[in-house]
Amino acid sequence: MDNFFDAYVLPWIVDIALALAIFFIGRWVIKQVMKLVERLLRKAKVEQMLINFISSIVNVVLLLFVVVASLNQLGVDTTSLIALVGAAGLAIGLSLQDSLKNFAAGVMLIVFKPFREGNFVEAAGVTGIVEHIQIFNTVMRTGDNKEVIIPNGAIYSGVITNYSARDTRRVDMVFGIGYDDDLRKAKQVLQEIIEADERILKDPAPVIAVSELGDSSVNFVVRPWVNAADYWPVLWGITEAVKLRFDEEGISIPYPQMDVHLHKTEGSAD
């Protein structure tokens, strides 16, 4: 009986004790490693959402190693287990290709920051304010208060226009006058309207110039610089002011028109 205990039971008890020790000590080591990883990521000023995701992945991988080590101590053949986990990971990866693409794009968006929450951007054919940047998708709010959820893969693979990235923006406007109107007077009126608006920046200086002799009008480009937050108010305000002043000064804003000439030929009916 003693020989049976010494030969079989005692080694099992020792192996179980060592396996449990490996597991619990391993979990303690994992916690310390996770604290160190999170501390380093915060020191590197990584986004909290990305820190949480990286931490969860590292935790799962390290825990898997601890479990395998514990099973090895018990004498369990873990080769087939590792192969099974690898095959399952490959199958999951193939079935979640789009999700993995969106995840990778989400990580790139968070790390490289082409835009931030609160920015006004145009991406994947949607223009609006960025409300949330998540691992798999980005939530945007359009000007008419619609919530649009865009996969990160669609955003990162296309052109991103960030209207909030710079402090100032140029307002590009075009105003046409009739060929019979006074060109110098119209330019002076435009200059006075621009100079009277306190939201328009002095540097860079605004541009007012004749850009085109069109089919029905002489076109001016008016390009003042403003603070980014004043872009739309200035665009709408200047457009209204130009129409009102042109009406007061008798300057026409022509609409597209075509002159049709009829030629009477011999033998045609009267």
Side-chain angles (χ1 to χ4, degrees):
M1 188 67 180
D2 291 339
N3 290 336
F4 177 80
F5 180 82
D6 292 339
Y8 297 101
V9 177
L10 185 59
W12 264 102
I13 293 175
V14 173
D15 287 340
I16 292 173
L18 290 175
L20 291 175
I22 292 173
F23 181 76
F24 287 109
I25 293 174
R27 289 195 61 179
W28 180 83
V29 172
I30 289 174
K31 288 182 180 179
Q32 305 310 310
V33 172
M34 296 307 303
K35 290 179 181 178
L36 176 62
V37 170
E38 291 181 4
R39 191 181 308 117
L40 293 175
L41 290 174
R42 288 195 179 94
K43 189 175 181 180
K45 297 182 179 179
V46 178
E47 296 285 343
Q48 184 60 44
M49 180 172 56
L50 187 56
I51 290 175
N52 294 339
F53 189 81
I54 293 175
S55 298
S56 63
I57 292 179
V58 172
N59 182 63
V60 170
V61 172
L62 293 179
L63 186 59
L64 181 61
F65 278 114
V66 170
V67 170
V68 170
S70 300
L71 292 176
N72 273 330
Q73 182 60 41
L74 291 175
V76 177
D77 184 7
T78 56
T79 305
S80 58
L81 176 62
I82 295 174
L84 181 62
V85 171
L90 179 61
I92 292 173
L94 291 174
S95 63
L96 297 176
Q97 287 186 25
D98 290 339
S99 296
L100 292 176
K101 175 184 175 182
N102 291 329
F103 161 72
V107 172
M108 301 298 281
L109 290 175
I110 293 172
V111 171
F112 292 105
K113 300 181 178 67
F115 53 79
R116 299 173 182 270
E117 293 183 358
N119 285 171
F120 181 68
V121 305
E122 180 180 352
V126 178
T127 302
I129 297 174
V130 178
E131 292 201 323
H132 303 291
I133 305 172
Q134 301 171 343
I135 288 296
F136 292 102
N137 53 61
T138 295
V139 180
M140 292 176 58
R141 175 167 49 86
T142 63
D144 55 352
N145 206 33
K146 291 186 294 189
E147 182 177 287
V148 182
I149 301 174
I150 311 171
N152 287 331
I155 293 177
Y156 201 75
S157 62
V159 176
I160 301 172
T161 304
N162 189 343
Y163 297 103
S164 302
R166 301 288 185 269
D167 293 332
T168 60
R169 289 183 63 186
R170 191 181 71 186
V171 185
D172 292 353
M173 296 172 284
V174 178
F175 300 105
I177 65 171
Y179 274 91
D180 295 332
D181 292 308
D182 189 329
L183 183 70
R184 294 184 178 86
K185 181 179 180 181
K187 187 172 183 178
Q188 180 62 34
V189 169
L190 292 172
Q191 188 73 41
E192 291 174 0
I193 293 173
I194 293 300
E195 291 176 352
D197 197 319
E198 297 180 353
R199 297 168 297 184
I200 293 175
L201 303 177
K202 304 302 181 184
D203 185 24
V207 173
I208 302 174
V210 177
S211 63
E212 181 186 16
L213 301 178
D215 294 334
S216 305
S217 62
V218 179
N219 296 327
F220 284 91
V221 289
V222 180
R223 295 177 175 176
W225 286 83
V226 299
N227 292 320
D230 292 331
Y231 178 87
W232 292 109
V234 168
L235 175 62
W236 298 328
I238 293 297
T239 301
E240 180 179 346
V242 168
K243 177 63 170 71
L244 294 175
R245 279 295 303 277
F246 276 11
D247 288 347
E248 291 176 3
E249 302 292 341
I251 300 172
S252 64
I253 301 178
Y255 48 85
Q257 54 186 317
M258 179 183 297
D259 292 334
V260 179
H261 301 275
L262 299 177
H263 299 277
K264 185 183 249 186
T265 61
E266 294 181 5
S268 60
D270 292 331

